[in-house]
Amino acid sequence: MDAPKFRIVLASHGEQAKGMMNTVQMLLGPQENMAAYCLYPDQTVNALTEQLENEIKTYGAENIIFMTELFHGSPFNAVVSLTREYDLYHLTGTNLAMLMTVVMERDDENATAEAICDAAIEAAQDSFKDVRKMLAESIENEEEDL
């Protein structure tokens, strides 16, 4: 099987990017064309930016979907700083539902980066639930059905 057309590049504070990559591989199997970069306290944002720019130089901006965990965080800022020179696809606020969607959607041979990003945002929105309220509503509905 050929490697997926789009490369997923995760960037986070601490080990989150590596953890998310490991988790998605546990759930969906080994993944090609995926990388995780972690920003540690002893590392500068410029060093992370250089690592991310090397991804662009190696794989091409049009072939990468960047995913960061925190809006306005340092990894987010590192990716945004690269938009001065490159036209990038970048999702932030990444959660596991988003990442799994990106991994699965990129296998479609007709997939576009824009469509993958749209599907990821929809998956993220659908993944947020207040379970206590959801269960209370379920109980109310069951009682109404009696």
Side-chain angles (χ1 to χ4, degrees):
M1 184 171 141
D2 293 333
K5 178 167 79 171
F6 293 102
R7 184 166 179 80
I8 301 168
V9 176
L10 303 168
S12 70
H13 296 90
E15 296 282 322
Q16 183 178 1
K18 287 181 182 177
M20 289 187 78
M21 187 168 82
N22 289 337
T23 300
V24 83
Q25 290 187 88
M26 183 180 95
L27 297 170
L28 300 177
Q31 297 297 312
E32 291 185 55
N33 220 2
M34 188 174 192
Y37 292 92
C38 302
L39 179 65
Y40 300 105
D42 62 343
Q43 183 184 14
T44 67
V45 176
N46 287 341
L48 176 62
T49 304
E50 287 177 17
Q51 291 175 315
L52 300 176
E53 187 168 27
N54 285 335
E55 285 280 338
I56 295 168
K57 289 177 179 177
T58 302
Y59 297 96
E62 69 281 0
N63 299 315
I64 299 173
I65 297 173
F66 287 95
M67 300 182 77
T68 56
E69 92 280 31
L70 184 62
F71 184 54
H72 288 300
S74 296
F76 168 91
N77 292 333
V79 176
V80 168
S81 73
L82 294 169
T83 63
R84 293 182 192 115
E85 292 186 45
Y86 306 98
D87 185 21
L88 302 177
Y89 290 94
H90 177 197
L91 296 168
T92 195
T94 300
N95 67 22
L96 195 54
M98 289 175 76
L99 179 55
M100 289 176 62
T101 298
V102 170
V103 167
M104 292 184 292
E105 292 285 325
R106 73 181 179 155
D107 287 338
D108 182 343
E109 65 183 45
N110 297 316
T112 64
E114 185 174 356
I116 292 169
C117 290
D118 289 345
I121 296 297
E122 185 175 325
Q125 291 171 342
D126 290 343
S127 72
F128 296 110
K129 306 288 182 205
D130 181 332
V131 177
R132 186 172 185 267
K133 287 181 182 178
M134 183 181 75
L135 292 174
E137 290 171 4
S138 175
I139 291 169
E140 285 177 21
N141 290 339
E142 286 176 10
E143 290 173 355
E144 288 175 6
D145 290 341
L146 294 180

